[in-house]
Amino acid sequence: TVLKGAAGVRYGPEALGGAIIVEANPLRLKSPFSAEVGTGYQTNGRGYFANAQISQGLDKLSYHIGASYTRIGDRNTPDYLLTNTGKEERSINGGLRYRINKDLNVKVFYSYLSQDLGLLRSSVAHSGTAIIRAINSDVPNIINEFSYDINQPNQLVQHHLGKIEASWWYADDAKL
């Protein structure tokens, strides 16, 4: 959920510009086993992705497990290739809910994301002359054949997110 403006105040002064609230799978109890698989393709970069997830809710226990993979090669404009603009991304996530009694629940969630992002090779210059040449050029100074390889310069990003939540219904319409 994306919060903007005054709604972010409850998350502190750092969130005045906005906040992103990460909500995991709801982990419903007494829900049937569910499995989903998805794939896709994009033409620019010849990118493809696949994802899968399973979930189930029993009387007192519910779980969710998911994973995804994305790979995109060099992107292109209508006239030329943009060398080293690919992406490779892997992610996994999982959640577990345990109902201790009718008033008390505990949820645990974890997700991991790893991205390797290529940065346009022609965007890096090692001298003032190279910067001027790049600015004055109508096309990038480096244009190689299409590739899925991600070379320098690139950005490797890894995110871990863990969350533990306990909820206690101390009245019919009140939760802590």
Side-chain angles (χ1 to χ4, degrees):
T1 305
V2 178
L3 299 177
K4 293 185 179 182
V9 170
R10 83 185 244 205
Y11 297 98
E14 297 83 15
L16 288 178
I20 298 173
I21 308 302
V22 177
E23 294 290 336
N25 181 295
L27 297 169
R28 291 183 176 87
L29 297 174
K30 298 180 183 177
S31 61
F33 177 81
S34 171
E36 297 178 22
V37 176
T39 62
Y41 178 80
Q42 71 179 51
T43 55
N44 194 350
R46 302 178 200 169
Y48 54 90
F49 71 87
N51 58 53
Q53 62 181 9
I54 60 171
S55 61
Q56 184 175 17
L58 306 170
D59 286 339
K60 290 188 165 211
L61 180 73
S62 177
Y63 67 88
H64 166 83
I65 301 168
S68 68
Y69 178 77
T70 300
R71 189 165 189 195
I72 301 171
D74 292 333
R75 309 291 194 333
N76 60 281
T77 71
D79 300 322
Y80 51 84
L81 201 64
L82 300 167
T83 298
N84 200 47
T85 55
K87 171 175 104 168
E88 187 169 22
E89 178 179 292
R90 295 174 179 91
S91 69
I92 59 169
N93 64 76
L96 187 66
R97 173 184 176 187
Y98 183 67
R99 184 176 181 183
I100 296 169
N101 60 41
K102 72 179 188 92
D103 299 325
L104 186 59
N105 279 280
V106 175
K107 292 181 184 179
V108 177
F109 176 78
Y110 173 76
S111 72
Y112 171 75
L113 170 72
S114 174
Q115 290 180 323
D116 192 2
L117 307 169
L119 303 173
L120 179 65
R121 179 64 187 100
S122 293
S123 68
V124 176
H126 299 288
S127 69
T129 306
I131 292 171
I132 291 169
R133 186 174 56 240
I135 290 171
N136 292 329
S137 178
D138 291 334
V139 298
N141 292 323
I142 300 170
I143 300 176
N144 295 335
E145 296 292 317
F146 174 85
S147 175
Y148 284 105
D149 295 339
I150 299 173
N151 300 303
Q152 294 291 330
N154 68 319
Q155 181 180 21
L156 183 59
V157 178
Q158 294 182 338
H159 291 280
H160 296 270
L161 173 66
K163 181 177 175 182
I164 298 173
E165 176 184 318
S167 57
W168 172 45
W169 291 90
Y170 60 89
D172 286 342
D173 58 352
K175 176 173 85 168
L176 177 64

